[in-house]
Amino acid sequence: MFRNALGKTFRFLGYTVQYGCIAHCAFEYLGGIVVCSGPSMEPTIQNSDIVFSENLSRHFYCIRKGDIVIVKSPTDPKSNICKRVIGLEGDKVCTSNPSDFLKTHSFVPKGHVWLEGDNLRNSTDSRCYGPVPYGLIRGRICFKIWPLNDFGFLRASPNGHRFLDD
């Protein structure tokens, strides 16, 4: 009897480890559901919106300007941030705030991206901490899941004028 219970316990543990590994790989390499918090991406993403993030794009270097990405925070590695890609390596970007009279520009270095929140007045982004290494990108947000009345693909950036094509 003890032997039978021990066998069932080990089988259960084995299945738990197997399914745990499968779930880890799915969430790490395929994608997952993310709850966004904070005002930096308003009006595109509101506080407590639930989105789906796919992770294949970062592995295949398919991140483009205008994509919204989940990134390990450059200032706090324990947290993730959600921002829009404004510039890729080699791109010329506006590094000043919208309210600045004189506009300053810079080039994004190799292996980095320039990130900004859609709510430029209430966003801590690359204008504060500079270009972000591509390796910190965790995934690309595909569409919004919740709230249901806003279900679907995300809208374009309200700050499209910040994209420079020089």
Side-chain angles (χ1 to χ4, degrees):
M1 179 154 165
F2 176 73
R3 197 169 165 185
N4 189 19
L6 193 60
K8 286 183 180 181
T9 302
F10 279 122
R11 271 193 300 282
F12 174 76
L13 287 174
Y15 288 131
T16 302
V17 169
Q18 285 176 342
Y19 291 123
C21 290
I22 291 169
H24 168 74
C25 288
F27 290 129
E28 180 66 24
Y29 296 104
L30 297 179
I33 295 172
V34 178
V35 178
C36 295
S37 63
S40 71
M41 285 303 294
E42 292 176 356
T44 309
I45 298 174
Q46 304 290 327
N47 192 33
S48 301
D49 280 358
I50 300 173
V51 296
F52 178 76
S53 169
E54 62 86 13
N55 300 348
L56 290 174
S57 291
R58 74 180 170 115
H59 294 295
F60 294 114
Y61 296 94
C62 296
I63 302 295
R64 297 185 311 255
K65 280 197 272 188
D67 287 346
I68 300 175
V69 292
I70 303 291
V71 180
K72 281 278 183 213
S73 172
T75 57
D76 179 14
K78 292 181 181 176
S79 66
N80 292 322
I81 58 174
C82 175
K83 304 289 179 196
R84 190 178 296 271
V85 177
I86 300 298
L88 301 170
E89 63 181 45
D91 286 345
K92 181 180 177 183
V93 293
C94 180
T95 57
S96 55
N97 288 312
S99 58
D100 293 347
F101 181 71
L102 293 174
K103 302 297 181 199
T104 56
H105 297 87
S106 182
F107 287 94
V108 180
K110 186 174 174 89
H112 289 71
V113 294
W114 188 267
L115 304 174
E116 292 182 3
D118 285 354
N119 185 354
L120 293 174
R121 299 196 190 289
N122 197 2
S123 177
T124 302
D125 48 37
S126 287
R127 294 171 295 151
C128 298
Y129 43 71
V132 176
Y134 192 92
L136 292 182
I137 296 176
R138 307 299 302 145
R140 180 178 63 91
I141 294 180
C142 296
F143 54 88
K144 194 182 295 189
I145 297 172
W146 188 263
L148 286 177
N149 64 336
D150 212 8
F151 180 87
F153 293 102
L154 299 171
R155 59 183 101 127
S157 172
N159 306 310
H161 63 280
R162 305 255 320 154
F163 295 85
L164 298 176
D165 293 325
D166 298 350

